Amino acid sequence: MTSVPLPPASDLVSSIRSSCASCRTRSRILIDEAAVDTFILSVPRSEWEQEAGPEKHGVRLPLRFDSPEDELNLLSVLALVNFLSGYRPVLHRLTSRGAYSTILSFVLSAYLASDDPASSILSTQGMLSATPASIAALAQIQTHQEKDHPTLGSAVKVGLKDEEAWECLELIAGVLKGTGEVLKKAGKGNLGEWVSEKLVQTQGDSGELVKQLAETFPAFRDAHLVDGEPVYIFKKALWLLTIITLRFSSDTSSPPPFPLPKIEGLPVFADNVLPTLLLHLNILSLASSPDPSLSSLSLSSPTPPLLSSASATRLRAASLDACAFIVRRAHVLGEQEGSEWLQTWTEQQLDGWLWGLGKRDELRALARVAERGTVYY
């Protein structure tokens, strides 16, 4: 895989925006402005104020931590392995949970399973020794299926390796091992120790933090070459910065234990949920795209076709750019008397609203676009 050069830290956020906008334009993925207005004007103010907002991405866990650094490590590992969205139907079959719920359950189990933090799978040493089998036990993922014996029939059962389960587990194990190797070379006992050090060094500079995460850990390097041009998304890194700030700024009784990332003005966390909902709302149109996988994509199928990395990146980039457009348009519509509240919209609020929308009963069953094999979302 070609390594995509990263932009300077000072230009990182603007590079995310400009690279995604250029990718959407090249891919001829259109934003329907009439559909945008219809969506904005359909949002009830009371529901928006109650349900939108970056706090929807906050993570407050029902655990007692020994220290802020201990909690920071768990949040950092949670962000590191927060992927598998392309395996949502598989995980529902295996665990009756979606991708994020499965990953969260795995990380919580890993934290609770070890009395010694130094040997936990959340530590550098634990990451290095992680195996698909050990991850399966913590995540409660069945690795084999019972089938009737091919010749003896239902009287005899045989255990067959579940290839989709192993694909998920091997992706997680690969990310943990690779991260553990980097941390060992850096002399860090866990990922949280590395993140804490960088928070202090950068004084919470978001661009610098995202760049250092992407430069140091391959699983955070959510940068792609599409049509010969770089496309920067950095979904997991942006999400990590946000959950750190939301968690450690919530305690007003004491100052934060380390400098917190500055999250105002950050773009959305482009995964597979946002494109799915923007297509469902007719805000994005793929009909003109020269990419046949996109121009023929239909959400009416129970299982939309799996997308290649390039096709998925085009769609994720388009969703990030479309969300920025929606917020700009909301600010314009907010100039009308009685609609001033629309001028307060932010991209992270919109992200939180769309995520909440996707969990409603009528949309939860909507088949989502998917990419397999990625560790970025």
Side-chain angles (χ1 to χ4, degrees):
M1 179 182 293
T2 302
S3 180
V4 181
L6 301 181
S10 59
D11 298 330
L12 192 135
V13 173
S14 62
S15 295
I16 293 173
R17 297 186 182 283
S18 61
S19 69
C20 287
S22 296
C23 183
R24 182 190 66 78
T25 301
R26 288 195 312 272
S27 304
R28 298 210 293 273
I29 300 174
L30 307 181
I31 298 174
D32 188 316
E33 296 186 19
V36 169
D37 285 4
T38 297
F39 164 71
I40 293 171
L41 297 175
S42 72
V43 174
R45 179 177 180 177
S46 59
E47 291 185 24
W48 174 275
E49 292 176 346
Q50 181 178 355
E51 298 181 18
E55 65 275 4
K56 287 295 178 182
H57 300 289
V59 178
R60 183 179 284 276
L61 302 169
L63 299 172
R64 184 180 297 277
F65 293 95
D66 293 336
S67 66
E69 289 75 17
D70 195 28
E71 185 171 6
L72 177 63
N73 181 55
L74 188 144
L75 294 176
S76 299
V77 178
L78 177 62
L80 174 75
V81 294
N82 186 14
F83 55 93
L84 297 182
S85 63
Y87 299 86
R88 183 172 179 249
V90 176
L91 294 170
H92 273 288
R93 173 175 65 80
L94 294 169
T95 69
S96 300
R97 296 187 296 265
Y100 176 71
S101 295
T102 299
I103 292 299
L104 179 60
S105 175
F106 159 63
V107 173
L108 293 178
S109 296
Y111 182 80
L112 295 171
S114 176
D115 295 329
D116 180 9
S119 63
S120 163
I121 204 170
L122 305 181
S123 69
T124 297
Q125 190 57 46
M127 288 180 175
L128 289 169
S129 60
T131 65
S134 65
I135 295 166
L138 291 168
Q140 297 181 309
I141 292 177
Q142 295 294 324
T143 59
H144 290 75
Q145 295 186 57
E146 280 196 350
K147 300 285 187 180
D148 293 346
H149 192 280
T151 57
L152 299 177
S154 59
V156 178
K157 301 290 184 180
V158 293
L160 297 180
K161 182 179 178 181
D162 191 313
E163 297 294 345
E164 290 183 317
W166 277 90
E167 188 174 343
C168 294
L169 295 166
E170 286 169 350
L171 284 172
I172 298 173
V175 165
L176 291 176
K177 282 181 175 293
T179 303
E181 290 169 359
V182 173
L183 291 171
K184 184 178 181 181
K185 289 179 181 177
K188 304 302 177 187
N190 58 51
L191 181 57
E193 185 180 335
W194 184 93
V195 172
S196 176
E197 180 180 284
K198 297 305 175 184
L199 287 170
V200 173
Q201 287 180 358
T202 65
Q203 290 298 296
D205 182 280
S206 295
E208 186 63 43
L209 283 165
V210 171
K211 183 170 184 180
Q212 292 211 29
L213 280 164
E215 281 183 334
T216 307
F217 303 103
F220 279 113
R221 197 180 180 93
D222 191 2
H224 312 267
L225 202 64
V226 179
D227 307 319
E229 298 292 334
V231 181
Y232 306 111
I233 298 179
F234 302 125
K235 183 260 180 182
K236 294 195 305 187
L238 292 172
W239 187 71
L240 174 57
L241 267 57
T242 299
I243 63 173
I244 289 173
T245 294
L246 294 177
R247 171 62 192 96
F248 292 105
S249 63
S250 61
D251 184 1
T252 57
S253 63
S254 60
F258 21 69
L260 300 182
K262 301 167 182 65
I263 61 174
E264 297 81 7
L266 294 182
V268 296
F269 316 121
D271 52 11
N272 68 327
V273 175
L274 298 186
T276 298
L277 291 174
L278 294 173
L279 289 169
H280 176 73
L281 294 166
N282 297 314
I283 288 172
L284 288 180
S285 172
L286 305 178
S288 300
S289 175
D291 184 333
S293 297
L294 297 183
S295 59
S296 62
L297 189 146
S298 171
L299 296 180
S300 60
S301 168
T303 54
L306 298 177
L307 298 177
S308 66
S309 175
S311 297
T313 300
R314 291 188 179 99
L315 201 45
R316 295 173 69 208
S319 71
L320 189 148
D321 190 42
C323 285
F325 178 87
I326 291 169
V327 170
R328 292 196 300 271
R329 182 59 183 161
H331 292 175
V332 172
L333 294 176
E335 296 172 1
Q336 301 174 17
E337 186 175 352
S339 299
E340 292 84 359
W341 75 280
L342 295 174
Q343 294 184 315
T344 67
W345 278 29
T346 67
E347 287 168 72
Q348 288 199 340
Q349 285 180 318
L350 176 60
D351 193 318
W353 173 263
L354 290 172
W355 252 85
L357 194 64
K359 292 183 179 296
R360 296 185 181 183
D361 288 342
E362 65 272 22
L363 294 178
R364 187 183 291 273
L366 186 67
R368 296 178 184 175
V369 297
E371 175 189 359
R372 296 278 179 93
T374 180
V375 299
Y376 299 126
Y377 67 103

mmCIF file of all heavy atoms in Angstrom, residues 32 34-36 38-40 42-43 274-285 299 326 350 353-354 357 363 366:
data_model
loop_
_atom_site.group_PDB
_atom_site.id
_atom_site.type_symbol
_atom_site.label_atom_id
_atom_site.label_comp_id
_atom_site.label_asym_id
_atom_site.label_seq_id
_atom_site.Cartn_x
_atom_site.Cartn_y
_atom_site.Cartn_z
ATOM 1 N N ASP A 32 -27.626 17.458 -3.135
ATOM 2 C CA ASP A 32 -28.922 17.998 -3.553
ATOM 3 C C ASP A 32 -29.320 19.100 -2.573
ATOM 4 O O ASP A 32 -29.714 18.827 -1.437
ATOM 5 C CB ASP A 32 -29.972 16.886 -3.564
ATOM 6 C CG ASP A 32 -31.293 17.330 -4.176
ATOM 7 O OD1 ASP A 32 -31.752 18.444 -3.858
ATOM 8 O OD2 ASP A 32 -31.871 16.557 -4.954
ATOM 9 N N ALA A 34 -31.854 21.143 -2.517
ATOM 10 C CA ALA A 34 -33.264 21.131 -2.111
ATOM 11 C C ALA A 34 -33.494 20.107 -1.003
ATOM 12 O O ALA A 34 -34.223 20.359 -0.041
ATOM 13 C CB ALA A 34 -34.155 20.829 -3.309
ATOM 14 N N ALA A 35 -32.833 18.947 -1.137
ATOM 15 C CA ALA A 35 -32.964 17.922 -0.100
ATOM 16 C C ALA A 35 -32.324 18.379 1.207
ATOM 17 O O ALA A 35 -32.806 18.049 2.298
ATOM 18 C CB ALA A 35 -32.329 16.614 -0.566
ATOM 19 N N VAL A 36 -31.234 19.142 1.093
ATOM 20 C CA VAL A 36 -30.598 19.693 2.289
ATOM 21 C C VAL A 36 -31.568 20.616 3.024
ATOM 22 O O VAL A 36 -31.742 20.523 4.248
ATOM 23 C CB VAL A 36 -29.305 20.450 1.917
ATOM 24 C CG1 VAL A 36 -28.791 21.260 3.114
ATOM 25 C CG2 VAL A 36 -28.230 19.473 1.452
ATOM 26 N N THR A 38 -34.831 20.676 2.835
ATOM 27 C CA THR A 38 -35.937 19.875 3.372
ATOM 28 C C THR A 38 -35.533 19.213 4.690
ATOM 29 O O THR A 38 -36.298 19.217 5.659
ATOM 30 C CB THR A 38 -36.354 18.794 2.359
ATOM 31 O OG1 THR A 38 -36.830 19.437 1.171
ATOM 32 C CG2 THR A 38 -37.452 17.906 2.926
ATOM 33 N N PHE A 39 -34.327 18.681 4.708
ATOM 34 C CA PHE A 39 -33.839 18.035 5.935
ATOM 35 C C PHE A 39 -33.722 19.039 7.071
ATOM 36 O O PHE A 39 -34.227 18.802 8.182
ATOM 37 C CB PHE A 39 -32.487 17.376 5.674
ATOM 38 C CG PHE A 39 -31.732 17.030 6.926
ATOM 39 C CD1 PHE A 39 -32.154 15.996 7.750
ATOM 40 C CD2 PHE A 39 -30.603 17.755 7.299
ATOM 41 C CE1 PHE A 39 -31.470 15.681 8.920
ATOM 42 C CE2 PHE A 39 -29.910 17.451 8.469
ATOM 43 C CZ PHE A 39 -30.352 16.413 9.272
ATOM 44 N N ILE A 40 -33.048 20.153 6.823
ATOM 45 C CA ILE A 40 -32.824 21.138 7.885
ATOM 46 C C ILE A 40 -34.143 21.617 8.474
ATOM 47 O O ILE A 40 -34.316 21.679 9.705
ATOM 48 C CB ILE A 40 -32.014 22.334 7.345
ATOM 49 C CG1 ILE A 40 -30.586 21.891 6.976
ATOM 50 C CG2 ILE A 40 -31.968 23.466 8.375
ATOM 51 C CD1 ILE A 40 -29.788 22.949 6.236
ATOM 52 N N SER A 42 -36.904 20.180 8.545
ATOM 53 C CA SER A 42 -37.715 19.119 9.158
ATOM 54 C C SER A 42 -37.259 18.779 10.570
ATOM 55 O O SER A 42 -37.939 18.040 11.282
ATOM 56 C CB SER A 42 -37.654 17.846 8.297
ATOM 57 O OG SER A 42 -36.374 17.225 8.413
ATOM 58 N N VAL A 43 -36.113 19.303 10.988
ATOM 59 C CA VAL A 43 -35.564 18.960 12.294
ATOM 60 C C VAL A 43 -36.284 19.756 13.384
ATOM 61 O O VAL A 43 -36.237 20.997 13.375
ATOM 62 C CB VAL A 43 -34.052 19.242 12.351
ATOM 63 C CG1 VAL A 43 -33.516 19.014 13.764
ATOM 64 C CG2 VAL A 43 -33.301 18.371 11.350
ATOM 65 N N LEU A 274 -22.882 7.823 8.347
ATOM 66 C CA LEU A 274 -23.212 9.108 7.743
ATOM 67 C C LEU A 274 -23.531 8.984 6.251
ATOM 68 O O LEU A 274 -24.555 9.510 5.802
ATOM 69 C CB LEU A 274 -22.079 10.107 7.976
ATOM 70 C CG LEU A 274 -21.767 10.454 9.439
ATOM 71 C CD1 LEU A 274 -20.726 11.564 9.518
ATOM 72 C CD2 LEU A 274 -23.026 10.865 10.188
ATOM 73 N N PRO A 275 -22.699 8.296 5.449
ATOM 74 C CA PRO A 275 -23.071 8.153 4.038
ATOM 75 C C PRO A 275 -24.412 7.462 3.850
ATOM 76 O O PRO A 275 -25.210 7.863 2.994
ATOM 77 C CB PRO A 275 -21.932 7.306 3.452
ATOM 78 C CG PRO A 275 -20.794 7.505 4.365
ATOM 79 C CD PRO A 275 -21.380 7.699 5.723
ATOM 80 N N THR A 276 -24.674 6.422 4.635
ATOM 81 C CA THR A 276 -25.937 5.689 4.508
ATOM 82 C C THR A 276 -27.124 6.609 4.742
ATOM 83 O O THR A 276 -28.086 6.621 3.962
ATOM 84 C CB THR A 276 -25.978 4.517 5.498
ATOM 85 O OG1 THR A 276 -24.917 3.603 5.196
ATOM 86 C CG2 THR A 276 -27.305 3.777 5.426
ATOM 87 N N LEU A 277 -27.078 7.400 5.801
ATOM 88 C CA LEU A 277 -28.195 8.289 6.116
ATOM 89 C C LEU A 277 -28.318 9.423 5.106
ATOM 90 O O LEU A 277 -29.422 9.818 4.728
ATOM 91 C CB LEU A 277 -28.045 8.837 7.527
ATOM 92 C CG LEU A 277 -28.236 7.795 8.627
ATOM 93 C CD1 LEU A 277 -27.924 8.380 9.987
ATOM 94 C CD2 LEU A 277 -29.668 7.253 8.612
ATOM 95 N N LEU A 278 -27.189 9.963 4.652
ATOM 96 C CA LEU A 278 -27.241 11.048 3.666
ATOM 97 C C LEU A 278 -27.788 10.550 2.324
ATOM 98 O O LEU A 278 -28.480 11.290 1.615
ATOM 99 C CB LEU A 278 -25.856 11.667 3.493
ATOM 100 C CG LEU A 278 -25.312 12.409 4.723
ATOM 101 C CD1 LEU A 278 -23.869 12.839 4.490
ATOM 102 C CD2 LEU A 278 -26.180 13.608 5.073
ATOM 103 N N LEU A 279 -27.508 9.301 1.987
ATOM 104 C CA LEU A 279 -28.114 8.709 0.786
ATOM 105 C C LEU A 279 -29.598 8.468 1.008
ATOM 106 O O LEU A 279 -30.422 8.751 0.124
ATOM 107 C CB LEU A 279 -27.415 7.393 0.443
ATOM 108 C CG LEU A 279 -25.979 7.499 -0.098
ATOM 109 C CD1 LEU A 279 -25.328 6.120 -0.146
ATOM 110 C CD2 LEU A 279 -25.973 8.148 -1.480
ATOM 111 N N HIS A 280 -29.958 7.965 2.173
ATOM 112 C CA HIS A 280 -31.366 7.703 2.488
ATOM 113 C C HIS A 280 -32.180 8.990 2.451
ATOM 114 O O HIS A 280 -33.342 8.982 2.006
ATOM 115 C CB HIS A 280 -31.466 7.051 3.858
ATOM 116 C CG HIS A 280 -32.876 6.834 4.320
ATOM 117 N ND1 HIS A 280 -33.691 5.853 3.789
ATOM 118 C CD2 HIS A 280 -33.624 7.482 5.264
ATOM 119 C CE1 HIS A 280 -34.876 5.904 4.381
ATOM 120 N NE2 HIS A 280 -34.854 6.875 5.278
ATOM 121 N N LEU A 281 -31.583 10.092 2.895
ATOM 122 C CA LEU A 281 -32.270 11.389 2.920
ATOM 123 C C LEU A 281 -32.208 12.106 1.570
ATOM 124 O O LEU A 281 -32.696 13.235 1.453
ATOM 125 C CB LEU A 281 -31.648 12.282 4.003
ATOM 126 C CG LEU A 281 -31.834 11.804 5.450
ATOM 127 C CD1 LEU A 281 -30.901 12.574 6.388
ATOM 128 C CD2 LEU A 281 -33.285 11.951 5.878
ATOM 129 N N ASN A 282 -31.603 11.453 0.577
ATOM 130 C CA ASN A 282 -31.456 12.002 -0.784
ATOM 131 C C ASN A 282 -30.599 13.260 -0.819
ATOM 132 O O ASN A 282 -30.675 14.047 -1.767
ATOM 133 C CB ASN A 282 -32.834 12.296 -1.401
ATOM 134 C CG ASN A 282 -33.663 11.045 -1.577
ATOM 135 O OD1 ASN A 282 -33.167 10.030 -2.054
ATOM 136 N ND2 ASN A 282 -34.926 11.105 -1.163
ATOM 137 N N ILE A 283 -29.775 13.444 0.204
ATOM 138 C CA ILE A 283 -28.865 14.596 0.220
ATOM 139 C C ILE A 283 -27.675 14.336 -0.694
ATOM 140 O O ILE A 283 -27.200 15.233 -1.386
ATOM 141 C CB ILE A 283 -28.429 14.886 1.667
ATOM 142 C CG1 ILE A 283 -29.614 15.478 2.442
ATOM 143 C CG2 ILE A 283 -27.229 15.826 1.702
ATOM 144 C CD1 ILE A 283 -29.366 15.639 3.919
ATOM 145 N N LEU A 284 -27.186 13.108 -0.715
ATOM 146 C CA LEU A 284 -26.129 12.722 -1.648
ATOM 147 C C LEU A 284 -26.739 11.952 -2.812
ATOM 148 O O LEU A 284 -27.607 11.090 -2.603
ATOM 149 C CB LEU A 284 -25.081 11.849 -0.962
ATOM 150 C CG LEU A 284 -24.136 12.525 0.034
ATOM 151 C CD1 LEU A 284 -23.169 11.492 0.614
ATOM 152 C CD2 LEU A 284 -23.356 13.655 -0.627
ATOM 153 N N SER A 285 -26.266 12.240 -4.003
ATOM 154 C CA SER A 285 -26.711 11.532 -5.204
ATOM 155 C C SER A 285 -25.499 10.915 -5.893
ATOM 156 O O SER A 285 -24.504 11.598 -6.159
ATOM 157 C CB SER A 285 -27.422 12.488 -6.165
ATOM 158 O OG SER A 285 -27.689 11.853 -7.398
ATOM 159 N N LEU A 299 -29.698 1.178 -1.572
ATOM 160 C CA LEU A 299 -29.929 0.809 -0.178
ATOM 161 C C LEU A 299 -31.158 -0.062 -0.016
ATOM 162 O O LEU A 299 -31.462 -0.516 1.090
ATOM 163 C CB LEU A 299 -30.081 2.069 0.680
ATOM 164 C CG LEU A 299 -28.857 2.981 0.775
ATOM 165 C CD1 LEU A 299 -29.175 4.170 1.665
ATOM 166 C CD2 LEU A 299 -27.649 2.229 1.310
ATOM 167 N N ILE A 326 -24.194 21.203 4.837
ATOM 168 C CA ILE A 326 -25.467 21.272 5.560
ATOM 169 C C ILE A 326 -25.397 22.332 6.655
ATOM 170 O O ILE A 326 -26.328 23.134 6.833
ATOM 171 C CB ILE A 326 -25.820 19.899 6.158
ATOM 172 C CG1 ILE A 326 -26.154 18.904 5.049
ATOM 173 C CG2 ILE A 326 -27.000 20.005 7.131
ATOM 174 C CD1 ILE A 326 -26.252 17.458 5.528
ATOM 175 N N LEU A 350 -24.354 18.023 14.212
ATOM 176 C CA LEU A 350 -24.994 17.310 13.108
ATOM 177 C C LEU A 350 -24.599 15.840 13.112
ATOM 178 O O LEU A 350 -25.439 14.953 12.888
ATOM 179 C CB LEU A 350 -24.611 17.961 11.778
ATOM 180 C CG LEU A 350 -25.135 17.277 10.507
ATOM 181 C CD1 LEU A 350 -26.665 17.238 10.489
ATOM 182 C CD2 LEU A 350 -24.606 17.987 9.257
ATOM 183 N N TRP A 353 -26.557 14.162 15.754
ATOM 184 C CA TRP A 353 -27.970 14.032 15.370
ATOM 185 C C TRP A 353 -28.156 12.880 14.386
ATOM 186 O O TRP A 353 -29.062 12.058 14.537
ATOM 187 C CB TRP A 353 -28.470 15.330 14.750
ATOM 188 C CG TRP A 353 -29.853 15.221 14.186
ATOM 189 C CD1 TRP A 353 -30.195 14.981 12.884
ATOM 190 C CD2 TRP A 353 -31.093 15.308 14.904
ATOM 191 N NE1 TRP A 353 -31.560 14.932 12.748
ATOM 192 C CE2 TRP A 353 -32.137 15.121 13.965
ATOM 193 C CE3 TRP A 353 -31.414 15.523 16.235
ATOM 194 C CZ2 TRP A 353 -33.474 15.146 14.327
ATOM 195 C CZ3 TRP A 353 -32.755 15.555 16.600
ATOM 196 C CH2 TRP A 353 -33.761 15.359 15.654
ATOM 197 N N LEU A 354 -27.299 12.812 13.370
ATOM 198 C CA LEU A 354 -27.432 11.758 12.361
ATOM 199 C C LEU A 354 -27.188 10.383 12.975
ATOM 200 O O LEU A 354 -27.859 9.413 12.619
ATOM 201 C CB LEU A 354 -26.458 12.015 11.204
ATOM 202 C CG LEU A 354 -26.801 13.211 10.307
ATOM 203 C CD1 LEU A 354 -25.671 13.473 9.318
ATOM 204 C CD2 LEU A 354 -28.110 12.983 9.559
ATOM 205 N N LEU A 357 -30.265 9.501 14.722
ATOM 206 C CA LEU A 357 -31.295 9.193 13.738
ATOM 207 C C LEU A 357 -31.146 7.754 13.240
ATOM 208 O O LEU A 357 -32.123 7.026 13.070
ATOM 209 C CB LEU A 357 -31.183 10.182 12.563
ATOM 210 C CG LEU A 357 -32.345 10.256 11.572
ATOM 211 C CD1 LEU A 357 -33.605 10.756 12.265
ATOM 212 C CD2 LEU A 357 -31.969 11.187 10.410
ATOM 213 N N LEU A 363 -35.063 3.333 11.063
ATOM 214 C CA LEU A 363 -33.830 3.400 10.281
ATOM 215 C C LEU A 363 -32.768 2.408 10.746
ATOM 216 O O LEU A 363 -31.779 2.199 10.056
ATOM 217 C CB LEU A 363 -33.246 4.823 10.325
ATOM 218 C CG LEU A 363 -34.087 5.900 9.635
ATOM 219 C CD1 LEU A 363 -33.436 7.268 9.795
ATOM 220 C CD2 LEU A 363 -34.263 5.578 8.153
ATOM 221 N N LEU A 366 -32.054 -0.218 8.284
ATOM 222 C CA LEU A 366 -31.586 0.213 6.969
ATOM 223 C C LEU A 366 -30.220 -0.406 6.683
ATOM 224 O O LEU A 366 -29.294 -0.307 7.489
ATOM 225 C CB LEU A 366 -31.481 1.741 6.937
ATOM 226 C CG LEU A 366 -31.141 2.397 5.604
ATOM 227 C CD1 LEU A 366 -32.278 2.215 4.612
ATOM 228 C CD2 LEU A 366 -30.870 3.903 5.810
#
